[in-house]
Amino acid sequence: MLLTDLIGYCAATLTTASFVPQAWHTFTTRDVRGISLGMYSAFTVGVMCWTVYGLLMDAWPIVVANCITLVLALAILVMKLRYHQA
């Protein structure tokens, strides 16, 4: 494995793992008051773009990390839409 791939996977692991506590907290408490719909919507689209970019560049650390992050971000976004109280 190349050093650049190793650094990429390390960065991917750390940044992707940072979403797990938020997703878990939101799933267990259904508390979405502190989550911005606009921010998570834009973030999710951005992660989709990064995934496509990684595929086009054949950059697997980017693809893997963003696929996992996309699942977590979509889960949080869906919970925000489902549990949002006006």
Side-chain angles (χ1 to χ4, degrees):
M1 181 180 292
L2 296 174
L3 179 60
T4 54
D5 285 339
L6 184 61
I7 291 169
Y9 280 114
C10 182
T13 300
L14 292 170
T15 56
T16 300
S18 70
F19 279 87
V20 174
Q22 181 67 60
W24 182 255
H25 174 76
T26 304
F27 181 74
T28 57
T29 66
R30 297 182 179 178
D31 180 9
V32 294
R33 290 174 293 173
I35 295 173
S36 166
L37 180 59
M39 181 272 183
Y40 263 90
S41 297
F43 179 76
T44 301
V45 172
V47 171
M48 284 183 213
C49 291
W50 273 114
T51 303
V52 171
Y53 173 79
L55 287 167
L56 293 172
M57 298 298 293
D58 199 31
W60 289 104
I62 293 172
V63 173
V64 171
N66 283 289
C67 282
I68 295 168
T69 302
L70 182 58
V71 169
L72 294 170
L74 278 171
I76 293 168
L77 186 58
V78 167
M79 287 185 276
K80 174 65 176 177
L81 293 169
R82 182 173 179 191
Y83 302 129
H84 176 72
Q85 297 175 5

